Amino acid sequence: PRFVPWEVAATEIVDYPRFGYRGLMIDSARNFLTVAEVKSLVDDIAAMKGNKLHWHLTDDQSWRLEIKGPPEDPSRYASLYTTPGCNGANCLTGWYTQAEFQEVVAYAAERFVEIIPEIEGPAHASRAVAQVANLSCGNGGWFCTNPASPNNANAKAFMKEVYAQLAAISPSQYVHIGADEADGMAHAEYNQWIRDMEAMLADVGKNAVGWTPSASAYQNPDSVHHYWRDQTSDANTTMDCSWYQQGFPVLLSPPSVAYLDGQGPRNPAGNYAWDPSAVYDDHRLAVLQTSYCLNDADIIGIEGPMWSESLRGLADNQYLILTSMAALIEKAWTPQAKTQQAGVFLATLAKQSARWSFEATNYRPDSSVAWDTYGAGSVLSAGPDGVVSGELAALSSTTVAKEAYTATIDWGDGSASQAAVIAGSNAGTNRGPTLFTVSGSHTYSPGAVYAGTVAFVEGANTYSLAFQVTVAPGLNLVVSATPRCMGGKAYVNTSVRNDGDMSVDVATVTPYGSKTAAGVTPGRSASGSFNSRLVDMPPGVVEVEAVGADQTTFGATVPYPGLDCG
């Protein structure tokens, strides 16, 4: 909770996306992401109006998804996913059970995000052919695509089982089949593999998505061409655009504008300043810079791939994803005529720093953005004792260092202001700005609402952040216990006087009996006299419990001395 005005004036919004597919690809294959981290990235893109998460689950380094063996050999494929594998020094490994995959799918669906799983082939399959026997033709990290080899049938049977299990746990209409960088593979064998994968997926009610050049082999008109760059022939050969123009749905991920890792621009302006309706193959820039090979009507959307060779966990991924992904999703959402200049978008993006900071999301403070400085006070409460302790206010400051600020607390009750210590830190390596926070402790009078202020000062700039403290009405009870002698016996006389500002229910407990009194109004007392039936009464205690009209509670233990009435 923050002490800020949440009201918005009544207004009418007409809004709809240019493209239905607005996606992010995450790479758990090279470096693992936990279930919680994947869920966090789902939250991040959902907040931007993203609606697809392409989950790269297998590659040469690893196979991350559990594949169950047949009843007679349930652990047949266990080494496929349990054998550690990842990319780079201090890399991260792990795997997902099918139940965990379904957990993420359900979590994403609640946020209107569709999970599209990827199982790579025929290339980028080193982990699979190393851990499952008889899937390769001896050609390194490829599934066997030579129809003359029995291992081609083995590889297809394996993939058929994988797709059947995946279809049972994935509600998406799509499965990504990989299909890129099979450099040197016989063209006919490559084409047949792609068509076999299409047919297998159709058998389980799914459509294929495949990286370029998969579209050159497609036969199913619903298969999606995931365009990145041409890989079908020598880079010095003039390319014929005809194979791009097959009428298949096209998903755009050109590296020069859409990649989120080191192959891309690494800044939101670069990710925004392009036209999806005029995409050329940046791998062949000199050849195609004036010849656009893709039909605009075929484009279904944009996806930002995040390859994880250099990434270690959620914070690293967020650092490179967030600002650039915001640019890509906005490009995919907004009408073409309104996305020709990056300036308006960058001004809008500047306002997101506060939300990301307050959510503890690790965004990159790219210098192309004039990030806003924004703060908010806390909403706090205190019991009848009036003691409040905790964070009073926080400031999102992307471009100014913590050391440039001073802070002062005005508690709002007439007491003296005091200088405050500012907590938090500025960005480090792959770490975006954190909130600068001020905390404190103070004692207020009961039964009131106070508006205090934390002032952050930096040069000529002052950010006055109001916080609110609501203090519960006080229960001010005066309790006494007095021993007396009456008729040779010792008694304990009690009194509970209500000096507070509300009615209370009082329960008094002694070793010799108890008494309750309901609705003791301010200024009145609840009294009692308890006969010990003893001549010589030992010392003891009286316990009092009270409940105020607002359910505030009070408890006290009052001792009394012994008394000899002999």
Side-chain angles (χ1 to χ4, degrees):
R2 297 287 171 179
F3 190 52
V4 295
W6 294 106
E7 294 83 2
V8 176
T11 188
E12 180 179 341
I13 298 173
V14 178
D15 199 15
Y16 49 87
R18 175 182 178 186
F19 296 120
Y21 189 119
R22 303 172 301 282
L24 165 69
M25 189 211 80
I26 58 172
D27 179 8
S28 292
R30 289 180 174 82
N31 276 284
F32 188 68
L33 288 161
T34 67
V35 166
E37 289 173 328
V38 176
K39 288 180 178 179
S40 184
L41 292 170
V42 167
D43 289 336
D44 290 337
I45 64 168
M48 304 176 192
K49 303 187 293 260
N51 66 344
K52 310 289 182 184
L53 184 70
H54 167 189
W55 201 353
H56 189 71
L57 292 166
T58 74
D59 212 299
D60 292 321
Q61 293 80 5
S62 67
W63 184 292
R64 298 300 191 198
L65 182 65
E66 173 191 22
I67 301 299
K68 298 177 180 180
E72 67 273 14
D73 186 12
S75 62
R76 174 179 296 179
Y77 303 119
S79 66
L80 175 65
Y81 50 88
T82 60
T83 304
C86 50
N87 186 263
N90 302 312
C91 59
L92 303 175
T93 191
W95 57 280
Y96 309 104
T97 66
Q98 292 189 10
E100 287 173 326
F101 177 88
Q102 290 176 291
E103 178 185 339
V104 174
V105 167
Y107 183 89
E110 291 175 352
R111 290 149 181 81
F112 306 99
V113 173
E114 178 182 348
I115 301 292
I116 299 173
E118 179 180 1
I119 304 294
E120 278 268 31
H124 292 295
S126 295
R127 176 49 56 97
V129 302
Q131 297 299 323
V132 180
N134 303 319
L135 300 184
S136 171
C137 293
N139 51 359
W142 294 353
F143 289 117
C144 180
T145 57
N146 181 357
S149 169
N151 285 354
N152 176 236
N154 293 335
K156 288 190 289 186
F158 170 72
M159 289 304 299
K160 185 174 183 179
E161 177 61 33
V162 170
Y163 288 156
Q165 293 192 32
L166 194 56
I169 61 175
S170 177
S172 172
Q173 72 180 96
Y174 298 116
V175 171
H176 205 299
I177 63 173
D180 65 322
E181 297 183 325
D183 301 320
M185 181 176 289
H187 192 61
E189 292 183 13
Y190 176 85
N191 284 355
Q192 188 58 52
W193 178 271
I194 299 303
R195 291 164 185 169
D196 288 340
M197 298 306 106
E198 280 186 303
M200 289 179 194
L201 288 172
D203 287 343
V204 293
K206 306 295 183 184
N207 295 323
V209 183
W211 297 106
T212 308
S214 59
S216 64
Y218 283 159
Q219 292 186 320
N220 183 345
D222 294 322
S223 294
V224 175
H225 172 200
H226 193 171
Y227 169 81
W228 68 297
R229 59 171 52 148
D230 176 51
Q231 291 286 306
T232 59
S233 57
D234 186 272
N236 295 318
T237 301
T238 301
M239 190 181 76
D240 179 358
C241 288
S242 63
W243 74 271
Y244 282 91
Q245 298 167 340
Q246 303 295 316
F248 297 109
V250 177
L251 175 61
L252 295 178
S253 293
S256 64
V257 292
Y259 275 35
L260 306 176
D261 63 0
Q263 300 181 64
R266 285 199 176 196
N267 67 78
N271 289 113
Y272 192 84
W274 62 293
D275 188 352
S277 296
V279 169
Y280 52 81
D281 193 320
D282 56 280
H283 189 52
R284 303 166 180 274
L285 179 60
V287 177
L288 295 175
Q289 58 185 347
T290 60
S291 177
Y292 304 128
C293 285
L294 296 176
N295 291 320
D296 185 54
D298 295 335
I299 298 171
I300 62 172
I302 300 171
E303 181 175 286
M306 182 70 256
W307 302 103
S308 72
E309 290 94 334
S310 63
L311 306 183
R312 303 295 182 268
L314 176 64
D316 280 6
N317 275 267
Q318 286 181 327
Y319 188 78
L320 292 181
I321 287 172
L322 282 176
T323 53
S324 290
M325 196 68 228
L328 289 177
I329 291 177
E330 192 66 20
K331 175 66 72 170
W333 182 280
T334 306
Q336 181 181 13
K338 294 182 179 295
T339 63
Q340 300 306 302
Q341 301 294 328
V344 173
F345 163 72
L346 294 177
T348 304
L349 181 64
K351 300 181 181 303
Q352 299 305 307
S353 59
R355 179 168 60 82
W356 284 332
S357 294
F358 276 83
E359 289 178 345
T361 303
N362 189 43
Y363 66 99
R364 176 167 42 89
D366 189 86
S367 59
S368 66
V369 181
W371 300 101
D372 278 8
T373 299
Y374 182 86
S378 301
V379 177
L380 304 165
S381 61
D385 61 0
V387 176
V388 65
S389 181
E391 182 186 302
L392 305 175
L395 186 73
S396 171
S397 177
T398 303
T399 57
V400 178
K402 179 181 70 174
E403 291 72 21
Y405 287 97
T406 59
T408 304
I409 304 170
D410 179 348
W411 292 103
D413 62 351
S415 60
S417 298
Q418 64 184 75
V421 175
I422 302 174
S425 63
N426 284 105
T429 302
N430 273 15
R431 295 296 182 272
T434 59
L435 285 177
F436 300 155
T437 60
V438 165
S439 299
S441 297
H442 190 66
T443 301
Y444 289 98
S445 298
V449 178
Y450 298 90
T453 304
V454 174
F456 286 85
V457 179
E458 178 263 321
N461 300 313
T462 298
Y463 303 94
S464 295
L465 311 179
F467 63 90
Q468 179 177 280
V469 182
T470 301
V471 185
L475 282 183
N476 186 4
L477 302 181
V478 179
V479 180
S480 63
T482 306
R484 292 182 179 177
C485 294
M486 295 177 63
K489 303 296 183 181
Y491 285 74
V492 178
N493 291 337
T494 65
S495 175
V496 182
R497 189 178 74 244
N498 182 3
D499 285 352
D501 50 13
M502 74 177 78
S503 296
V504 294
D505 297 333
V506 178
T508 304
V509 179
T510 77
Y512 312 111
S514 61
K515 183 178 180 180
T516 61
V520 180
T521 56
R524 303 296 296 273
S525 298
S527 302
S529 181
F530 301 91
N531 186 357
S532 72
R533 304 186 186 279
L534 299 174
V535 174
D536 186 6
M537 183 180 69
V541 296
V542 171
E543 296 180 354
V544 173
E545 293 184 355
V547 179
D550 66 348
Q551 301 304 305
T552 304
T553 60
F554 171 90
T557 299
V558 179
Y560 58 83
L563 182 63
D564 185 357
C565 295

